[in-house]
Amino acid sequence: MTTTLAIANQKGGVAKTTSVASLGAALAELGHSVLLVDLDPQACLTFSLGIDPEDLGLSVHHVLTQGLDPLEVIVTTEDGVDLLPATIELARAEAELLTRTGREQVLAAVLSDLDEALAGTEDGGYDWVLLDCPPSLGVLTVAALTAADGVLVPLQCETLSHRGVGQLLDTVHDVRRFTNRGLEVWGVLPTLYDARTQHARTVLDTISQTYDLEVVEPPIPKTIRFAEAPAVGRSILSTSRSSKGAAAYRAAAESLLRRAERPRPTPDPPRKAGRTTARSSRKPS
Ligand SMILES: Nc1ncnc2c1ncn2[C@@H]1O[C@H](COP(=O)(O)OP(=O)(O)O)[C@@H](O)[C@H]1O
Ligand SMILES: [Mg+2]
């Protein structure tokens, strides 16, 4: 069975893309088949895995907006994971999808068709699909949350990091209500973590308590190694195999494997139209 995980946070620079590449590589090292989906028009994931978006004729944009078979676009990377790449063209997808019926479901439908197509093949479907979300709560992020079993929120533990978490959880709440009742919040993954200060731990504890969020351990330490990896088109797991950062992502991947083994909840029965419910998230006091 495939586990589809959206890595989302509308804040930029919190290590969404780095986490997708590194967790994907770590899961692949553990023998899992992994597909990464680049949903950011800036195509940083695609680039960081050694593929120049400018060289691509076809990308996830054509899959989402023109119904192209993803198997015609998916590439294998040196990190041992497959990638559904993006190009800058994806920037148009938001606008193009905005007028489409069922736009929230577009990625869910693509992935479910893909799963069906692969089920008959020798290798079968993917064990893991990781979705690298753009830094916004627009159509593409909602489509990712709609396609996912879980959402993981990379979080840089700084004073202002809680701003936005409530908004993201409100979006998750809406997705659960309208488009994907099975979506589960897997928790926050502390990134760019500075263990030398008490401050990061305090911020992390405050956020996880305020929003009742699990923390996926261990925190990913801030290290210069991460800056070097994308330039050579490999994740830190290959460029700096024994670094603290690589070890942390390997351990975080093991946490995800344990999380995936938890039984999935049976979704609530559909609500009657017109009934309003309180939003799940609370604003920090
Ligand atoms: N643990 C880390 N230590 C140091 N730099 C990091 C770490 N994780 C990510 N970075 C760097 O931070 C920047 C933003 O990361 P990125 O994954 O692109 O974030 P996002 O996808 O959320 O915008 C990149 O330059 C990346 O190399
Ligand atoms: Mg990114």
Side-chain angles (χ1 to χ4, degrees):
M1 192 154 75
T2 308
T3 303
T4 303
L5 193 59
I7 317 296
N9 184 335
Q10 73 275 32
K11 196 171 185 304
V14 297
K16 290 181 289 298
T17 300
T18 305
S19 298
V20 167
S22 308
L23 292 170
L27 290 166
E29 277 184 2
L30 292 168
H32 295 259
S33 60
V34 181
L35 174 67
L36 309 182
V37 182
D38 192 349
L39 291 172
D40 187 344
Q42 296 187 40
C44 293
L45 178 65
T46 301
F47 189 82
S48 71
L49 291 177
I51 293 151
D52 189 344
E54 308 235 329
D55 294 341
L56 295 171
L58 297 171
S59 70
V60 68
H61 170 78
H62 301 88
V63 174
L64 295 179
T65 64
Q66 293 164 28
L68 184 75
D69 184 346
L71 289 171
E72 294 193 28
V73 185
I74 290 172
V75 288
T76 45
T77 72
E78 290 186 44
D79 261 2
V81 298
D82 285 0
L83 171 73
L84 184 50
T87 69
I88 188 67
E89 272 187 293
L90 189 60
R92 293 206 316 266
E94 291 264 343
E96 285 175 29
L97 289 171
L98 213 52
T99 54
R100 291 269 193 92
T101 309
R103 59 181 173 272
E104 293 96 349
Q105 307 286 352
V106 67
L107 183 61
V110 164
L111 293 179
S112 131
D113 290 351
L114 177 65
D115 204 43
E116 219 165 276
L118 292 175
T121 67
E122 199 180 317
D123 296 337
Y126 291 102
D127 299 318
W128 287 84
V129 178
L130 305 184
L131 310 173
D132 186 22
C133 293
S136 80
L137 293 174
V139 175
L140 291 170
T141 296
V142 171
L145 295 173
T146 301
D149 300 300
V151 51
L152 180 67
V153 184
L155 195 74
Q156 188 176 359
C157 299
E158 293 176 336
T159 308
L160 297 177
S161 298
H162 68 269
R163 298 183 61 81
V165 172
Q167 229 185 341
L168 174 61
L169 293 177
D170 283 347
T171 303
V172 167
H173 178 82
D174 287 343
V175 165
R176 291 171 61 149
R177 188 154 175 239
F178 299 117
T179 60
N180 179 11
R181 274 184 280 137
L183 178 64
E184 289 185 278
V185 179
W186 280 28
V188 293
L189 175 68
T191 54
L192 293 144
Y193 196 79
D194 186 353
R196 291 168 306 175
T197 68
Q198 180 58 34
H199 179 65
R201 192 78 229 180
T202 308
V203 170
L204 179 60
D205 290 346
T206 306
I207 291 175
S208 65
Q209 281 162 25
T210 306
Y211 296 102
D212 194 19
L213 290 169
E214 283 182 49
V215 176
V216 175
E217 303 275 0
I220 310 299
K222 189 173 197 164
T223 130
I224 186 64
R225 298 278 175 223
F226 284 94
E228 302 162 355
V232 288
R234 304 289 299 266
S235 83
I236 186 177
L237 269 74
S238 1
T239 57
S240 202
R241 292 199 60 79
S242 52
S243 70
K244 273 196 291 182
Y249 271 117
R250 286 194 188 97
E254 308 250 11
S255 299
L256 296 185
L257 288 175
R258 286 192 295 275
R259 180 63 181 78
E261 278 166 14
R262 274 193 224 166
R264 295 182 189 174
T266 22
D268 307 331
R271 294 195 182 82
K272 289 205 183 94
R275 204 174 109 195
T276 53
T277 45
R279 297 205 152 197
S280 61
S281 59
R282 281 163 284 142
K283 299 284 173 288
S285 47

XYZ file of all heavy atoms in Angstrom, residues 60-126:
497
model
N 5.232 18.022 -14.602
C 4.018 17.801 -13.813
C 2.898 18.762 -14.263
O 1.709 18.450 -14.142
C 4.331 17.945 -12.305
C 4.680 19.385 -11.937
C 3.178 17.444 -11.446
N 3.283 19.892 -14.815
C 2.297 20.843 -15.336
C 1.391 20.188 -16.380
O 0.167 20.318 -16.333
C 3.031 22.041 -15.959
C 2.147 22.951 -16.732
N 1.316 23.869 -16.120
C 1.936 23.073 -18.070
C 0.649 24.520 -17.053
N 1.002 24.067 -18.238
N 1.989 19.450 -17.320
C 1.204 18.798 -18.375
C 0.346 17.669 -17.809
O -0.723 17.378 -18.316
C 2.133 18.256 -19.460
C 2.976 19.335 -20.075
N 4.198 19.696 -19.547
C 2.738 20.153 -21.116
C 4.703 20.683 -20.270
N 3.832 20.988 -21.220
N 0.861 17.044 -16.758
C 0.088 15.968 -16.131
C -1.162 16.538 -15.454
O -2.257 16.000 -15.585
C 0.970 15.219 -15.103
C 0.149 14.204 -14.324
C 2.149 14.553 -15.806
N -0.981 17.667 -14.773
C -2.096 18.233 -14.004
C -3.098 18.984 -14.894
O -4.300 18.961 -14.627
C -1.572 19.186 -12.922
C -0.729 18.541 -11.824
C -0.247 19.602 -10.842
C -1.515 17.460 -11.083
N -2.609 19.644 -15.913
C -3.523 20.499 -16.685
C -3.954 19.888 -18.016
O -4.962 20.277 -18.572
C -2.900 21.879 -16.980
O -1.764 21.696 -17.816
C -2.503 22.598 -15.698
N -3.169 18.929 -18.533
C -3.527 18.376 -19.843
C -3.767 16.883 -19.831
O -3.928 16.258 -20.878
C -2.440 18.734 -20.866
C -2.403 20.232 -21.138
C -1.118 20.659 -21.815
O -0.494 19.882 -22.526
N -0.719 21.901 -21.595
N -3.741 16.303 -18.642
C -4.061 14.887 -18.551
C -2.986 13.963 -19.101
O -3.258 12.798 -19.402
N -1.756 14.452 -19.229
C -0.666 13.597 -19.712
C -0.392 12.485 -18.699
O -0.462 12.706 -17.493
C 0.598 14.444 -19.908
C 1.795 13.697 -20.497
C 1.583 13.455 -21.993
C 3.085 14.483 -20.278
N -0.072 11.283 -19.217
C 0.252 10.148 -18.360
C 1.546 10.451 -17.593
O 2.583 10.719 -18.205
C 0.442 8.912 -19.255
C 0.695 7.644 -18.449
O 0.979 7.749 -17.231
O 0.602 6.554 -19.042
N 1.512 10.402 -16.246
C 2.732 10.713 -15.482
C 3.903 9.801 -15.839
O 5.065 10.201 -15.706
C 2.302 10.532 -14.023
C 1.008 9.809 -14.053
C 0.372 10.102 -15.372
N 3.608 8.587 -16.314
C 4.696 7.668 -16.664
C 5.539 8.216 -17.816
O 6.680 7.809 -18.005
C 4.127 6.283 -17.024
C 3.576 5.510 -15.820
C 2.837 4.263 -16.257
C 4.698 5.166 -14.829
N 4.970 9.145 -18.572
C 5.745 9.758 -19.654
C 6.655 10.876 -19.142
O 7.451 11.427 -19.888
C 4.802 10.318 -20.722
C 4.028 9.217 -21.421
C 3.337 9.710 -22.674
O 3.835 10.662 -23.291
O 2.284 9.146 -22.997
N 6.483 11.237 -17.891
C 7.221 12.378 -17.352
C 8.186 11.972 -16.241
O 9.238 12.594 -16.055
C 6.230 13.442 -16.808
C 6.979 14.687 -16.362
C 5.190 13.799 -17.861
N 7.831 10.913 -15.505
C 8.637 10.519 -14.339
C 10.051 10.126 -14.763
O 10.241 9.418 -15.749
C 7.948 9.342 -13.592
C 6.676 9.855 -12.898
C 8.893 8.704 -12.576
C 5.808 8.767 -12.290
N 11.020 10.648 -14.024
C 12.417 10.305 -14.288
C 13.011 9.621 -13.059
O 12.560 9.845 -11.939
C 13.253 11.566 -14.610
C 12.912 12.121 -15.964
C 13.070 12.637 -13.537
N 14.027 8.787 -13.278
C 14.728 8.212 -12.130
C 15.948 9.082 -11.854
O 16.530 9.651 -12.768
C 15.184 6.759 -12.395
O 15.766 6.723 -13.685
C 14.029 5.804 -12.346
N 16.277 9.200 -10.588
C 17.398 10.069 -10.225
C 18.524 9.236 -9.621
O 18.315 8.076 -9.244
C 16.966 11.114 -9.172
O 16.779 10.438 -7.922
C 15.683 11.808 -9.584
N 19.683 9.855 -9.511
C 20.846 9.139 -8.967
C 20.682 8.822 -7.490
O 21.410 8.014 -6.939
C 22.112 9.974 -9.174
C 22.524 10.048 -10.632
C 23.862 10.761 -10.773
O 24.767 10.475 -9.977
O 23.962 11.613 -11.673
N 19.735 9.498 -6.849
C 19.497 9.237 -5.436
C 18.643 7.992 -5.200
O 18.310 7.675 -4.065
C 18.794 10.449 -4.799
C 19.784 11.340 -4.074
O 20.984 11.035 -4.109
O 19.348 12.333 -3.480
N 18.260 7.313 -6.280
C 17.492 6.084 -6.119
C 16.002 6.315 -5.944
O 15.261 5.401 -5.587
N 15.561 7.535 -6.171
C 14.127 7.822 -6.099
C 13.647 8.259 -7.483
O 14.440 8.716 -8.301
C 13.816 8.954 -5.090
C 14.239 8.552 -3.691
C 14.508 10.252 -5.491
N 12.365 8.086 -7.725
C 11.777 8.608 -8.957
C 11.231 10.002 -8.691
O 10.884 10.347 -7.557
C 10.645 7.688 -9.442
C 11.193 6.406 -10.063
O 12.427 6.266 -10.110
O 10.388 5.554 -10.484
N 11.142 10.784 -9.753
C 10.712 12.175 -9.606
C 9.733 12.552 -10.706
O 9.967 12.271 -11.877
C 11.945 13.094 -9.697
C 11.652 14.599 -9.784
C 11.170 15.142 -8.441
C 12.893 15.365 -10.254
N 8.658 13.162 -10.294
C 7.755 13.810 -11.237
C 8.146 15.288 -11.210
O 7.829 15.997 -10.255
C 6.302 13.585 -10.801
C 5.165 14.085 -11.681
C 5.317 13.658 -13.125
C 3.822 13.584 -11.147
N 8.909 15.724 -12.214
C 9.561 17.029 -12.125
C 8.652 18.202 -12.458
O 7.612 18.040 -13.098
C 10.682 16.917 -13.169
C 10.136 15.972 -14.188
C 9.223 15.014 -13.465
N 9.085 19.364 -12.039
C 8.361 20.603 -12.341
C 9.235 21.517 -13.190
O 10.458 21.364 -13.230
C 7.990 21.316 -11.049
N 8.596 22.436 -13.860
C 9.300 23.539 -14.514
C 8.536 24.808 -14.158
O 7.463 24.750 -13.546
C 9.328 23.404 -16.050
O 7.992 23.603 -16.535
C 9.823 22.039 -16.494
N 9.060 25.928 -14.590
C 8.436 27.204 -14.294
C 7.020 27.284 -14.868
O 6.179 28.042 -14.386
C 9.330 28.377 -14.803
C 8.809 29.724 -14.331
C 9.458 28.366 -16.312
C 8.908 29.921 -12.833
N 6.736 26.427 -15.873
C 5.391 26.408 -16.458
C 4.303 26.146 -15.412
O 3.156 26.539 -15.584
C 5.298 25.298 -17.507
C 5.711 25.731 -18.885
C 5.429 24.643 -19.885
O 6.077 23.584 -19.813
O 4.531 24.852 -20.708
N 4.703 25.466 -14.347
C 3.736 25.132 -13.299
C 3.120 26.396 -12.689
O 2.039 26.350 -12.116
C 4.420 24.278 -12.225
C 3.551 23.646 -11.155
C 2.520 22.699 -11.755
C 4.409 22.895 -10.144
N 3.793 27.501 -12.829
C 3.261 28.763 -12.315
C 1.910 29.075 -12.970
O 1.055 29.723 -12.366
C 4.246 29.897 -12.567
N 1.718 28.591 -14.195
C 0.449 28.833 -14.881
C -0.646 27.880 -14.429
O -1.822 28.124 -14.654
C 0.619 28.687 -16.398
C 1.491 29.741 -17.046
C 1.090 29.910 -18.504
N 0.883 28.627 -19.170
C 1.830 27.979 -19.869
N 3.013 28.504 -19.996
N 1.570 26.816 -20.423
N -0.244 26.767 -13.823
C -1.227 25.738 -13.466
C -2.248 26.276 -12.469
O -3.440 25.966 -12.570
C -0.528 24.506 -12.905
N -1.794 27.082 -11.503
C -2.724 27.634 -10.507
C -3.879 28.321 -11.233
O -5.044 28.062 -10.966
C -2.022 28.665 -9.615
C -0.997 28.117 -8.664
C -1.540 27.858 -7.253
O -2.615 28.383 -6.897
O -0.873 27.110 -6.515
N -3.526 29.206 -12.160
C -4.542 29.966 -12.883
C -5.389 29.052 -13.761
O -6.614 29.170 -13.812
C -3.875 31.045 -13.719
N -4.743 28.101 -14.434
C -5.479 27.216 -15.336
C -6.436 26.306 -14.580
O -7.516 25.981 -15.048
C -4.511 26.385 -16.186
C -3.881 27.208 -17.292
C -2.830 26.432 -18.080
O -2.947 25.200 -18.185
O -1.900 27.081 -18.574
N -6.008 25.883 -13.397
C -6.858 24.963 -12.631
C -7.997 25.691 -11.922
O -9.018 25.094 -11.595
C -6.018 24.198 -11.605
C -5.059 23.153 -12.180
C -4.140 22.635 -11.083
C -5.824 22.005 -12.819
N -7.805 26.979 -11.713
C -8.749 27.737 -10.907
C -10.176 27.667 -11.434
O -11.130 27.696 -10.669
C -8.287 29.197 -10.828
C -8.590 29.927 -9.535
C -8.097 29.153 -8.325
C -7.894 31.298 -9.565
N -10.324 27.538 -12.735
C -11.668 27.501 -13.317
C -12.141 26.069 -13.566
O -13.194 25.857 -14.134
C -11.679 28.260 -14.659
O -10.659 27.703 -15.478
C -11.428 29.744 -14.453
N -11.333 25.082 -13.165
C -11.678 23.677 -13.452
C -12.519 23.057 -12.348
O -12.182 23.187 -11.174
C -10.414 22.834 -13.548
C -9.580 23.123 -14.713
C -9.978 22.217 -15.882
N -8.936 22.325 -16.876
C -7.894 21.514 -16.936
N -7.806 20.493 -16.121
N -6.955 21.701 -17.814
N -13.511 22.335 -12.725
C -14.267 21.544 -11.759
C -13.379 20.414 -11.243
O -12.673 19.789 -12.019
C -15.507 20.922 -12.450
O -16.188 21.967 -13.108
C -16.407 20.243 -11.443
N -13.404 20.196 -9.959
C -12.638 19.090 -9.392
C -11.151 19.355 -9.290
O -10.365 18.438 -9.157
N -10.766 20.644 -9.326
C -9.330 20.950 -9.321
C -8.622 20.436 -8.072
O -7.469 20.016 -8.134
C -9.097 22.453 -9.463
C -9.746 23.274 -8.366
C -9.531 24.752 -8.544
N -10.295 25.504 -7.569
C -11.550 25.889 -7.751
N -12.171 25.604 -8.880
N -12.193 26.549 -6.802
N -9.346 20.426 -6.942
C -8.702 19.935 -5.714
C -8.320 18.458 -5.854
O -7.405 17.991 -5.219
C -9.636 20.068 -4.499
C -9.937 21.497 -4.100
C -11.239 21.980 -4.703
O -11.797 21.296 -5.590
O -11.699 23.066 -4.283
N -9.089 17.738 -6.674
C -8.897 16.288 -6.778
C -7.910 15.894 -7.858
O -7.650 14.710 -8.057
C -10.257 15.621 -7.112
C -11.390 15.972 -6.173
C -11.267 15.294 -4.827
O -10.391 14.439 -4.645
N -12.126 15.662 -3.888
N -7.385 16.882 -8.588
C -6.645 16.539 -9.803
C -5.418 15.667 -9.508
O -5.170 14.671 -10.196
C -6.288 17.814 -10.619
C -5.292 18.703 -9.912
C -5.763 17.443 -11.990
N -4.685 15.985 -8.458
C -3.492 15.197 -8.155
C -3.869 13.834 -7.564
O -3.253 12.812 -7.881
C -2.583 15.964 -7.184
C -1.268 15.279 -6.840
C -0.407 15.062 -8.078
C -0.498 16.099 -5.802
N -4.903 13.830 -6.735
C -5.374 12.559 -6.166
C -5.743 11.592 -7.294
O -5.405 10.398 -7.253
C -6.573 12.807 -5.254
N -6.414 12.113 -8.316
C -6.834 11.268 -9.439
C -5.616 10.762 -10.217
O -5.532 9.576 -10.571
C -7.778 12.055 -10.354
N -4.650 11.655 -10.438
C -3.432 11.267 -11.167
C -2.716 10.141 -10.417
O -2.316 9.126 -10.997
C -2.489 12.488 -11.320
C -1.080 12.048 -11.698
C -3.045 13.462 -12.350
N -2.566 10.300 -9.102
C -1.815 9.311 -8.319
C -2.572 7.995 -8.219
O -1.971 6.918 -8.216
C -1.501 9.863 -6.924
C -0.525 11.048 -6.906
C -0.302 11.534 -5.483
C 0.816 10.686 -7.554
N -3.889 8.086 -8.166
C -4.644 6.843 -8.067
C -4.625 6.086 -9.403
O -4.471 4.857 -9.432
C -6.054 7.154 -7.533
O -7.030 6.567 -8.295
N -4.679 6.821 -10.523
C -4.532 6.171 -11.835
C -3.148 5.547 -11.986
O -2.992 4.443 -12.520
C -4.743 7.186 -12.970
C -6.201 7.629 -13.072
O -7.051 7.025 -12.386
O -6.475 8.589 -13.828
N -2.148 6.282 -11.491
C -0.768 5.788 -11.586
C -0.627 4.484 -10.799
O -0.031 3.509 -11.262
C 0.190 6.852 -11.036
C 1.669 6.488 -10.994
C 2.226 6.288 -12.395
C 2.478 7.577 -10.271
N -1.196 4.486 -9.608
C -1.142 3.308 -8.751
C -1.781 2.110 -9.448
O -1.258 0.995 -9.431
C -1.878 3.620 -7.448
C -1.395 2.742 -6.318
O -0.169 2.564 -6.218
O -2.236 2.228 -5.566
N -2.900 2.380 -10.092
C -3.610 1.313 -10.800
C -2.769 0.797 -11.964
O -2.659 -0.411 -12.181
C -4.919 1.880 -11.348
C -6.085 0.929 -11.238
C -7.381 1.691 -11.449
O -7.896 2.281 -10.475
O -7.826 1.715 -12.610
N -2.159 1.735 -12.698
C -1.340 1.339 -13.855
C -0.139 0.511 -13.409
O 0.256 -0.440 -14.077
C -0.874 2.580 -14.618
N 0.445 0.865 -12.254
C 1.645 0.167 -11.797
C 1.316 -1.144 -11.098
O 2.178 -2.020 -10.993
C 2.450 1.066 -10.848
C 3.090 2.295 -11.493
C 3.756 3.167 -10.438
C 4.101 1.890 -12.563
N 0.093 -1.260 -10.618
C -0.281 -2.461 -9.865
C -0.069 -3.721 -10.702
O 0.309 -4.772 -10.176
C -1.729 -2.358 -9.409
N -0.252 -3.603 -11.997
C -0.103 -4.775 -12.850
C 1.337 -5.063 -13.258
O 1.611 -6.085 -13.880
N 2.254 -4.194 -12.925
C 3.640 -4.379 -13.369
C 4.434 -5.182 -12.349
O 3.981 -5.400 -11.226
C 4.350 -3.025 -13.572
O 4.487 -2.389 -12.294
C 3.563 -2.122 -14.508
N 5.635 -5.553 -12.758
C 6.474 -6.406 -11.920
C 6.797 -5.733 -10.577
O 6.739 -6.344 -9.524
C 7.778 -6.679 -12.680
C 8.545 -7.875 -12.165
C 9.815 -8.076 -12.982
O 9.743 -7.966 -14.236
O 10.861 -8.312 -12.364
N 7.159 -4.440 -10.636
C 7.555 -3.730 -9.415
C 6.371 -3.287 -8.562
O 6.535 -2.991 -7.381
C 8.383 -2.489 -9.771
C 9.692 -2.877 -10.433
O 10.133 -4.020 -10.212
O 10.247 -2.041 -11.170
N 5.199 -3.219 -9.143
C 4.038 -2.737 -8.394
C 4.108 -1.236 -8.186
O 4.944 -0.547 -8.775
N 3.220 -0.721 -7.337
C 3.169 0.731 -7.111
C 4.276 1.189 -6.167
O 5.068 0.395 -5.673
N 4.315 2.489 -5.934
C 5.305 3.046 -5.014
C 4.899 2.773 -3.564
O 3.720 2.764 -3.229
C 5.415 4.555 -5.214
C 6.046 4.916 -6.544
C 5.259 5.339 -7.617
C 7.418 4.831 -6.727
C 5.828 5.659 -8.840
C 8.001 5.151 -7.943
C 7.200 5.562 -8.989
O 7.765 5.870 -10.194
